[in-house]
Amino acid sequence: SMSDVSAFAAAVNVALYNQHHVVVQIPGVGVNAIKILPPVISTDEDITWFLHALDETLSGFYAGTGPAMSLGK
């Protein structure tokens, strides 16, 4: 179903906010993607920090330790 397609993007959105206070956007219904809208005044350090946060968040999903893994516990 359409909601299943975008479930991973929604989970990444929630995890990024909960763990790193990063706000991203889901581009639309049924789209398995996130939109990144950095400020025009972003520094190299800001971008590096964001990429680290995104990498850490995505790694958690693929390591079997993400939020969905704790639902049955």
Side-chain angles (χ1 to χ4, degrees):
S1 75
M2 284 269 208
S3 61
D4 295 338
V5 174
S6 58
F8 184 72
V12 170
N13 181 14
V14 170
L16 265 174
Y17 182 76
N18 286 340
Q19 297 169 13
H20 301 283
H21 306 290
V22 172
V23 177
V24 293
Q25 183 180 22
I26 299 171
V29 175
V31 179
N32 189 18
I34 58 171
K35 250 197 253 187
I36 301 165
L37 305 167
V40 175
I41 59 169
S42 296
T43 64
D44 287 344
E45 292 81 19
D46 294 332
I47 301 302
T48 300
W49 182 88
F50 169 77
L51 291 174
H52 174 74
L54 180 62
D55 182 54
E56 188 176 289
T57 301
L58 291 174
S59 294
F61 283 99
Y62 288 103
T65 59
M69 301 309 285
S70 64
L71 288 176
K73 295 181 183 178

